[in-house]
Amino acid sequence: MGPRGRETWAQRLGAFRASPSAFMAGPEGEDLGCDLLSELRSEKLSEQTKVSLLALSLEYPAQLWPDTAAAEAAATSLLDTLVLLPPRPSALRRPLLLAATTALAAGDALGPTSAASLRLLPLLLGLASGSDLGRGFGPASEQRSLQATACECLRELESCKPGLLGGRLGLLRGLLGQEGPVQPLSLLLALALRNALVIQARARAGLQGLLMAGDAPTVGIPWNWALAEEGAAHLQPQAPGWPATEVQECGLAVLEPSPEEARELRAAVAQLLDTSYLLTPVAQAQLLWLLGWALRGLRGQPPVLFKPQLVRLLGTAQLTLLHAILALKAAFGEALFTAQDEALLLRRLTLAAQHPALPLSAHLFYLHCLLSFPENWPLGPTGEEAAPLLLGPRLCRGLLPSLLHNPMALLARLHLLCLLCADDEEKEEKAQDWSPQHYLEELLAGLRQRAALDGGPRALATLCFQASYLVVRCLAMQPAVLTPLTRGLAQLYQSRPALAPHFVDLLDRVGPELGEPLRVVLRQEVVARPGKDEALCWHLQILAKVADGNAQSATLGFLRAAAARCTDWDLQQALLQVCRALLRAGVGKGLADLLQALARQLEDPDGRDRARLYYILLAHLAGPKLGVALGPSLAAPAASSLVAENQGFAAALMVQEAPAPIRLSVGPRRAEGPVPVLQLQVEVLEPVYSLELRFRVEGQLYAPLEAVHVPCLYPGRPCRPLLLPLQPRRPAPTHLDVRALYTTPSGLTRHAHLPPLLVTFADLFLPFPQSPEGDKQGFFEELWDSCLPKGAESSLWCPLGPRGLEALVSHHLEPFVVVAQPPTSYHVAIHLPPNSRLLLRLEAAQVDGVPVALRTDDWAVLPLAGDYLRGLSAAV
């Protein structure tokens, strides 16, 4: 494709930015990345247009280079374009460096096997260090900006591949003391130092001289990827914060640097802190957080290194720096901050949060810092929410919430007030002139009064319920607060029933401390004051949420009275939802009569059918099964409520197939009785009740088998063997198809297919009746002669194992031996149901085998017997 003009590229980039995914899926997007790379070398486009193309590659690298190979090729092309730039000043050098870095980072192509990475890293390090390589790369006028850009690129690569610059810490330390951009170098060194400490701590290795300052060469030696490979998992994000779990996750306590390494580390940290005043406030905050994170829990590194910065910044007005100070306080606590420092910080936060000219975001920030203030010696358990000890009611009088405040500010101030109420309750110090709890009750009453206004804004009602939820979450264990709150909410519902959806949502979110009493008062309010027709739908919605087995007569009386006023479909469905809730609660007395009445008098046929269905379920299902059938439905909405109900509980009422939690196997053979019997061993992975095992045999070889029933089975508990009588019509092996029908602990009935069971030829063996006393040989000879001429006979060689003929007979044929002359001769008589016999003469046994003569009255048995005998020696 030929080169494109500036207007053509402007249209193409505009279409891409409008919808990147749609553009890349179309024909124009297939070659966009390749066209962009080729146009960067075109002399017909201006540098401004090329900068726009590079900006696109910085914003959408994943779309332009979707895989590692494409990202590698793009980075290589960008580096080639960078090298080909003429030595005069150009606006493309910095964007090309950024684009190559972004392509490698976004495409996950950075690594020791990437040729582009091995070209880019020495180039960036040379530019950052101002070495000969860097000075020869561009004109002198661009050296400082290129050095800063190279530091930013290295910082991005270090973020993506922690430990990448671990072997260059000494070089970076040396650069910080030279002329150059202080801020990029400081942030780069701080990030690389933090990553190296964490990786070495996880590997339980020392610093190994990584911090020794020096002028290491940037080219000519291979890049050290050892630390980067150990830190392959991404470390925590670099957003400043002070969660308590970071100390455990960091694990720096296991790192034990030598005295020399500890001195070098302190020198590096002091060097960074001494130059931090030259950084912007945001960069200073990032630097302080990185260094605090790196030294937290590290042995031999006193936090006093941060004291000069603390003195300098304790009175700062910059929010980012104040946040960094609080992060240091969370990291080091009383080791760095005295009680006076803590009191000063609290007073500053409290006074700043009361400034009338503060924007909302800054006001919320100060309140958040107060709510999560990291104290030196918190009294409660770790993670418990509480107001700071030094923050008394007098200090924060100006932070009390008011109805005039912005909703977000009001909720934040209310949160602080709730913590003060909890602290006031614990201390039992009730001031005579002012009480936080009394102020809280007045505020909530004012919020409810505004929410009760007919036609009032929805936002006022939402704010009232948000405040109520916040109070319950913070003061759930204080009945003195919850009791008036419950009464006030009941009065609010009495004044404005249209707020029923808000009450339902509140009941879903709060715990039993408020939920149970609120359910009771709302139910009493509904059944005592049915209200006007327009409020009936709200009463039914509330009642469907709060109805239970209590006050059954009052609830059913309300429903009977409301049934006459439910004339449209919506009201009828709401009424039936209450009936459903009562069914789930186990209400039976009186509900059946109501459902029968509804099935007759409701005008809508859909409602009548649904009422009739509920009556049938109530009459035919036990309590647990009924609760499962009427559980929460995952069915999609349907045009008919009856269809929706069927979809909702069909899975509970129907027998559905499920993976079998049952293992079935065949146990030892039982050679006794009139018919062969299989001993089945059964194990379960979960409790199973009312188990029924059904067996089926293909063809007509066996008569139908009876099912086997087990009342209950539990995992890990032994179960007696299950006996399955076989009724073969021909003596032949077969496979049994097995299906299980069982009930789960939740009351659901399921069926499952189990692996088939093999019935072998030997499983059919039965002994003959006992021979007459003293004439066993004659009995066997009589059986032997009776097989011919109708039957068949044969002979074969049966190999013997090392244990000989006696072991073979004792393992497999012992119950069927009629005459025995051990260890060389045995006469065996086997009854094969229904009416066949198999006779064996094992005589003149030798070391390696024994000749076997066979006779049977059923010629079809001979091949089965031959296969069985030939397999005996291998089984011994």
Side-chain angles (χ1 to χ4, degrees), residues 176-177 182-183 185-187 189 268-280 284 287 309 312:
L176 192 59
V182 176
Q183 180 166 304
L185 277 172
S186 298
L187 294 179
L189 176 57
V269 172
Q271 185 181 9
L272 286 169
L273 292 175
D274 289 344
T275 58
S276 63
Y277 71 95
L278 299 174
L279 278 57
T280 63
Q284 286 187 59
L287 179 69
Q309 307 303 318
R312 178 173 67 88

Side-chain angles (χ1 to χ4, degrees), residues 657-668:
E657 186 172 2
I662 304 167
R663 296 175 181 172
L664 195 63
S665 59
V666 178

Side-chain angles (χ1 to χ4, degrees), residues 120 176 197 332 416 429 456 472 522 541 561 649 667 711 763 784 801 806 858:
L120 178 63
L176 192 59
L197 288 174
F332 300 109
L416 184 59
E429 295 176 358
V472 175
L522 287 178
Q541 185 174 352
F649 58 70
D763 290 328
W784 183 266
E806 188 174 5
D858 185 354

Side-chain angles (χ1 to χ4, degrees), residues 9-39:
W9 269 110
Q11 296 175 0
R12 198 177 185 191
L13 297 185
F16 174 81
R17 291 179 184 277
S19 179
S21 57
F23 185 88
M24 296 302 292
E28 285 283 334
E30 184 177 355
D31 300 323
L32 179 61
C34 296
D35 293 344
L36 185 149
L37 294 174
S38 62
E39 291 292 342

Side-chain angles (χ1 to χ4, degrees), residues 98-163:
L98 293 170
T101 302
T102 303
L104 288 176
D108 198 20
L110 184 65
T113 60
S114 167
S117 301
L118 299 180
R119 290 179 59 188
L120 178 63
L121 287 172
L123 175 61
L124 292 176
L125 198 58
L127 288 171
S129 62
S131 63
D132 294 339
L133 173 64
R135 288 192 294 269
F137 184 72
S141 59
E142 295 185 20
Q143 286 301 308
R144 192 171 184 85
S145 60
L146 285 175
Q147 190 174 4
T149 302
C151 290
E152 293 294 337
C153 292
L154 287 172
R155 189 154 65 100
E156 180 67 23
L157 295 178
E158 173 67 23
S159 300
C160 297
K161 187 77 73 173

Side-chain angles (χ1 to χ4, degrees), residues 302-592:
V304 72
L305 292 172
F306 294 93
K307 198 66 176 180
Q309 307 303 318
L310 181 63
V311 173
R312 178 173 67 88
L313 299 175
L314 205 55
T316 180
Q318 296 289 337
L319 298 185
T320 54
L321 291 175
L322 181 59
H323 197 250
I325 291 297
L326 291 173
L328 288 176
K329 189 175 188 310
F332 300 109
E334 69 279 358
L336 182 59
F337 289 78
T338 64
Q340 291 77 11
D341 296 334
E342 186 173 66
L344 177 61
L345 266 178
L346 274 174
R347 186 170 183 82
R348 281 210 58 229
L349 291 172
T350 305
L351 295 178
Q354 302 176 35
H355 197 287
L358 272 183
L360 178 62
S361 58
H363 180 68
L364 294 176
F365 167 78
Y366 284 117
L367 290 174
H368 170 74
C369 292
L370 286 172
L371 289 170
S372 54
F373 186 80
E375 294 184 271
N376 284 351
W377 297 99
L379 291 183
T382 303
E384 184 183 34
E385 208 173 30
L389 295 176
L390 300 179
L391 188 64
R394 292 185 178 181
L395 184 59
C396 59
R397 281 283 185 95
L399 292 178
L400 296 177
S402 167
L403 297 179
L404 301 178
H405 284 130
N406 175 276
M408 296 181 65
L410 186 147
L411 291 175
R413 288 171 174 247
L414 176 62
H415 194 178
L416 184 59
L417 176 61
C418 291
L419 297 183
L420 290 176
C421 289
D423 187 60
D424 191 63
E425 176 73 16
E426 292 174 1
K427 294 179 180 178
E428 298 181 357
E429 295 176 358
K430 300 294 183 179
Q432 297 179 358
D433 56 340
W434 184 81
S435 167
Q437 182 176 326
H438 181 67
Y439 187 90
L440 175 63
E441 293 176 2
E442 291 183 347
L443 176 69
L444 293 176
L447 290 172
R448 290 193 295 268
Q449 185 177 2
R450 293 199 307 177
L453 297 175
D454 286 333
R458 185 182 181 88
L460 295 180
T462 302
L463 179 62
C464 174
F465 283 92
Q466 288 175 334
S468 301
Y469 170 75
L470 184 59
V471 171
V472 175
R473 188 173 70 85
C474 296
L475 303 173
M477 306 307 295
Q478 295 196 18
V481 175
L482 297 186
T483 301
L485 176 61
T486 304
R487 290 198 303 266
L489 289 174
Q491 295 171 1
L492 175 61
Y493 179 76
Q494 179 183 355
S495 303
R496 194 177 178 187
L499 297 178
H502 292 277
F503 281 94
V504 172
D505 182 63
L506 182 64
L507 288 171
D508 286 335
R509 295 175 182 272
V510 298
E513 296 83 7
L514 177 70
E516 293 304 324
L518 185 58
R519 287 173 185 271
V520 173
V521 297
L522 287 178
R523 183 177 62 247
Q524 294 173 351
E525 185 67 34
V526 168
V527 299
R529 300 180 178 85
K532 302 178 181 179
D533 289 344
E534 57 268 18
L536 181 58
C537 63
W538 305 121
H539 292 333
L540 292 174
Q541 185 174 352
I542 287 293
L543 205 55
K545 184 65 181 177
V546 303
D548 53 22
N550 300 319
Q552 298 181 20
S553 59
T555 303
L556 292 173
F558 171 83
L559 295 178
R560 292 191 192 95
R565 298 154 55 196
C566 295
T567 56
D568 59 359
W569 187 87
D570 291 338
L571 286 176
Q572 293 176 14
Q573 297 305 313
L575 178 66
L576 290 169
Q577 279 297 109
V578 182
C579 295
R580 179 193 179 103
L582 292 174
L583 278 174
R584 293 190 62 193
V587 177
K589 184 178 180 182
L591 182 59

Side-chain angles (χ1 to χ4, degrees), residues 33 35-42 46-58 61 65 71-86 88-105 116 119-121 123-124 127 137-138 142 145-146 149-150 152-154 157:
D35 293 344
L36 185 149
L37 294 174
S38 62
E39 291 292 342
L40 290 175
R41 302 185 186 184
S42 173
S46 63
E47 283 196 346
Q48 183 180 2
T49 304
K50 293 180 180 179
V51 169
S52 300
L53 298 180
L54 290 172
L56 188 76
S57 69
L58 294 176
W65 340 116
E72 172 78 10
T76 301
S77 178
L78 291 168
L79 290 175
D80 292 340
T81 304
L82 181 63
V83 172
L84 294 176
L85 288 178
R88 64 175 181 271
S90 174
L92 294 178
R93 285 189 175 85
R94 294 177 61 214
L96 283 171
L97 282 175
L98 293 170
T101 302
T102 303
L104 288 176
R119 290 179 59 188
L120 178 63
L121 287 172
L123 175 61
L124 292 176
L127 288 171
F137 184 72
E142 295 185 20
S145 60
L146 285 175
T149 302
E152 293 294 337
C153 292
L154 287 172
L157 295 178

